Amino acid sequence: MKLFIKYRNLILLFSVLCCGFVFISCDQKEQNTKETSAEPTQEVSQEITAVPDDGKEKEEDNVASTTEDNAYYENYTKTGVLASIKDVYKDKFHIGVALAKHDIENKIKANFVASQFSSITCENEMKADFTLDHAATLKKGDEEFPVVNMKNAVVALNFAKENDIKMRAHTLVWHSQTPRWLFTEGFDKSEDAPFVTREVMLARMENYIKQEMEYVNTNYEGVVYAWDVVNEAIEIGDGHKDGIRIKNNYWYEIIGDDYIEQAFTFARKYADKNQKLFYNDYGTYEKSKLFAICELVNKLKEKGIIDGVGLQDHIQIDYPTTLDYQYAINKYSELGLEIQITELDIACPEDTEEAQEKLATRYRTIFSILLNCLNKGNANITSVTVWGLSDDRSWINKPDQPSYPLLFDKNLKPKRAFFGALLDPSVKKY
Ligand code: XIL
């Protein structure tokens, strides 16, 4: 007892210190548990992460990590050597660009395209307005045989073949940029000419698809790897029970509900074995449209006549949200088909440094999502195409409503957006 009294103060001090230690370590443990349990499982994080997983740790799987080697912007500003986006992504997916005939006829542009892209798409020259030859059709005089003439597309096809670049063929069956005479009796061009019957129209559809595919595959074997067989066939606002576009859509008006299936059936019949058949659309992240597309594509998949979904991705800086964008990619991936981003551009009405930096971040976000989905094996993304080579050539850049949505400026100088698409460390993350 005497001893206790003697050392009372020392014992007290020791007890206080021990309690403190136990308290601190418990608190620490709780903190750790909180951190661990807050970490979502991979599947859950796929569903719920609004911000793409492009943290340093996760980015390790991506081609463009934050290492010195991949400081593309710094390297470019110091040495003037520009990275090639197709090379950066060569083990991931094709990097494509939409081109007009005159882009390719310009030697400087053509060489630049060959150095940056592994895939091209004709911006217009493979659309029915450009491939159907009215005079030749009348001359042939066969009610079931619209004549195809690919003279507008040969510049692109030759360029692709000579430079070992692959091509997306865009597009066979579409309500737009297709002449009305394709649907009328006697291929009559007058405004009120009556339409042919379903039977005649199906025969025309088959002959049209057959000619185009046979021409391409005979003369340019191995060049086209993907066909947009049907474009923009879902329009929820039109009120069809399955969401099929019914207004101003002569294919639908004459053939009926199964026109999409018919087109894919013919396309499968005439496509080369290794060519992939795509359904392509815009606004693919809008929920009701997304579900209608998935339903349509599932039916085509059951019949074995489709290989992939093309997401146009004409998007904006803040629309759709990354959450909706990621959700859509996950949903389309669940179909078990290929996914291609077919017409990427991001509207940006200003050319200021600040606006363009935001655009760069948005490109970074989109490419991060695509890479993360691909790297985790969640999505079979095989191609990403930007819709135009340079801002001055963008279809959304109009004199009364300018937009600067692409990777290169009018002098083919890389914009900050280019480095965003490379996930360059100099571009701010989301
Ligand atoms: C656009 C072209 O870029 C324009 O030059 C043309 O005037 C209209 O069509 N969805 C598509 C593309 O599938 O074919 C469209 O291309 C853009 C929207």
Side-chain angles (χ1 to χ4, degrees), residues 329-377:
I329 300 275
N330 289 343
K331 279 288 159 205
Y332 292 117
S333 306
E334 284 168 13
L335 294 168
L337 297 174
E338 277 185 40
I339 292 179
Q340 296 190 350
I341 308 303
T342 54
E343 305 183 16
L344 178 62
D345 53 24
I346 304 175
C348 184
E350 285 175 55
D351 203 16
T352 61
E353 228 173 81
E354 195 190 340
Q356 288 299 313
E357 204 56 46
K358 273 194 191 147
L359 180 71
T361 292
R362 178 67 159 165
Y363 267 104
R364 182 177 176 143
T365 303
I366 296 299
F367 272 83
S368 293
I369 292 176
L370 298 175
L371 275 172
N372 281 327
C373 289
L374 181 76
N375 290 345
K376 286 175 183 163

Side-chain angles (χ1 to χ4, degrees), residues 78 187 244 421:
K78 276 189 183 157
F187 300 104
I244 297 177

Side-chain angles (χ1 to χ4, degrees), residues 398-415:
K398 311 220 164 74
D400 55 332
Q401 215 185 342
S403 193
Y404 306 87
L406 297 170
L407 303 181
F408 301 99
D409 73 10
K410 63 178 192 301
N411 301 313
L412 298 183
K413 276 232 172 69
K415 296 168 51 190

Side-chain angles (χ1 to χ4, degrees), residues 123-124 127 170-171 174 177 231-232 280 282 312 314 343 387 395:
E123 188 174 356
N124 287 298
K127 294 170 179 173
H170 172 80
T171 175
W174 191 20
Q177 291 190 272
N231 197 30
E232 303 180 352
N280 191 50
Y282 65 90
Q312 291 187 9
H314 298 291
E343 305 183 16
W387 203 245
W395 75 302

